[in-house]
Amino acid sequence: MKKLIYALLLLAMLFSLAVPAYAADPNIDGGGGGMGQGTGQNSWTPGRDGVRITVVRDSDNTPVSTPIDFSNGSNSDMAVHFGKVSKISYRNSTGLTPHTSKYACYQPSQAMPRIVSSNGSSNIAAIRSYFCREGTIRDIANATGLGYDTLINGKYKILLEPIAYFKYNSVMFAMTATEAALYNKQVGNGLRSKMVSLSHKNLPLSMFLETPDLGFPAWSGSTTKAQSDETIITYLGMGVIRFSEPDPEPPKESKVTYRTDTEVITVVTLTTGSQKTPDNPAYARFFINGKTYSHTDIYIPEDGSQLAWVKWRTPKEPGLITITVTSNCSLSSSEIVAEIVDLDKNPPPDPQANDRNDGFRIPSAPNKPNTTTLTWGEWDCWWHEHWVWHSGDDDEDGYWEDEGWFEYAWLSYSASLTANLSTKPDEKVPTASGKTMKSGYGLNASVSAQVRFSAPSSHITGVQNVVAYFPEFNYSTYWRLLKRLNTGYSSTFEFQKNKYSTYGQPCHFSPVWFPDGRYTTYTECLDSWTPAGMLQINLTDDLTIRGTVFDDWHIRAVK
């Protein structure tokens, strides 16, 4: 017997356990709760359950066998089922199709333990033992048509999905947890309203992952409460058996910072060991703040990689958001924690005529690096026809066959950012001359920014935020978020209205104690996003301070 190096069973919350070399290595836990009382038209008998089994290629998470259903009974009384479709196929947009043909399942040589709980108690120990035994794996090999040695050679995984056989509206159904959630959406929540303890709690919670696998995220939520359709479709009702070392787990968190109410682009890198083509494209799904965003139809050559991204708008309130990412490829990160910050919360205080800062020295403006150009790309893919003539023989005519192949080309994109900052004394300053004014008066700022790009507009955002910093606060303590005057890839900004201004004009007041010399405003133009990151340009502009507002008061007093 070929040695099983490792076989990881990710049926529920994966739990590592050392076992002999010939046995599977179980990683499993489970949940559920009480069932409540059924009715004659809507009921389930405990023990009427099973498992759908699909063999999946380890290199690219592609199913290589037709799914089969294991169950202890024949379940010949099923009136409706949905065929033999795996959770992976549903994720890849296969539709839910009811069948009324005779339902068929495979009865293993040794009876399975109870899979779906009826009272909240877990049967995990028995499930671990069953699915890690050699006899069960040989049954799976025989039922799927793969040889036992082939199945355990380290190139394949086994996807497991719990099944329940139950009566709904007086009709007998066979459903996996995923099918129950999809069907409930079709019938307007009718299934959940009558069978919630089974369809949305005990069935989906009987198997789920602790570690991401097959492009599905791990589950760390409640194991005793009914779940939503989307949660079940995304997280629940699945387990995995492995016959090789576990894939390195992608980083759980990748900290990023976004601004409130801003359009951003969130990115991961996809890597695959097999071709992703128009017939079998890659995808990435981002679950963000209760919504699902998808990047689909991604083509990648064998052993290649590509960025996958989505554009979305951040909330209007600050906080933390956990972004979960799934894919049919390997991911650079499966979970991203985004900090949402509000830049409009720390404007300068009200300047007073008696403010003093006798030890002040004019600081140098910051000299932070700019990111004014970024490049990225994506693969294009098409079929290259190559027709070959096959000669016939005495019994068959010859024929042409297309023995072509997929070809790839890299499409390169770029984006660049230019911007300009202009400051001037406020129009209310009576003694200003050009770019010279006295301390204690207000100044205005105007920023114009333009993004030029060679990519589709879905890859890009314009500059959305500009923040100004000032020398009297050492360019750090307080700042002003400028007001955006227009949207798009060419945008302009100015100071917001100053609540301390007598006339309510958009300005910033220089302090009365600011010494004669250069007054430099420093701004950061932010949030022009691309798949390659954020374009940012930092700008400065100078005014000259000569004298103070008190000089003008003195002149007016003398006059």
Side-chain angles (χ1 to χ4, degrees), residues 52-84:
R52 181 159 298 166
I53 296 173
T54 309
V55 179
V56 181
R57 188 165 53 231
D58 194 13
S59 62
D60 60 359
N61 296 337
T62 298
V64 296
S65 75
T66 301
I68 56 171
D69 292 353
F70 272 34
S71 181
N72 292 332
S74 65
N75 300 296
S76 58
D77 57 338
M78 294 300 107
V80 179
H81 59 95
F82 300 97
K84 302 297 193 296

Side-chain angles (χ1 to χ4, degrees), residues 258-297:
Y258 298 132
R259 266 60 63 184
T260 55
D261 197 21
T262 300
E263 201 170 44
V264 299
I265 293 176
T266 298
V267 185
V268 295
T269 300
L270 306 186
T271 305
T272 180
S274 62
Q275 288 185 333
K276 293 300 179 183
T277 69
D279 293 340
N280 179 33
Y283 66 86
R285 291 192 177 93
F286 297 72
F287 303 93
I288 307 173
N289 212 26
K291 296 183 179 180
T292 301
Y293 303 81
S294 297
H295 186 171
T296 58
D297 297 326

Side-chain angles (χ1 to χ4, degrees), residues 16 88 118 259-260 274 281 310 353 364 447 485 493 523 542:
S16 297
I88 292 175
S118 60
R259 266 60 63 184
T260 55
S274 62
V310 292
S364 297
V447 174
L485 301 180
F493 302 80
T523 60
D542 297 340

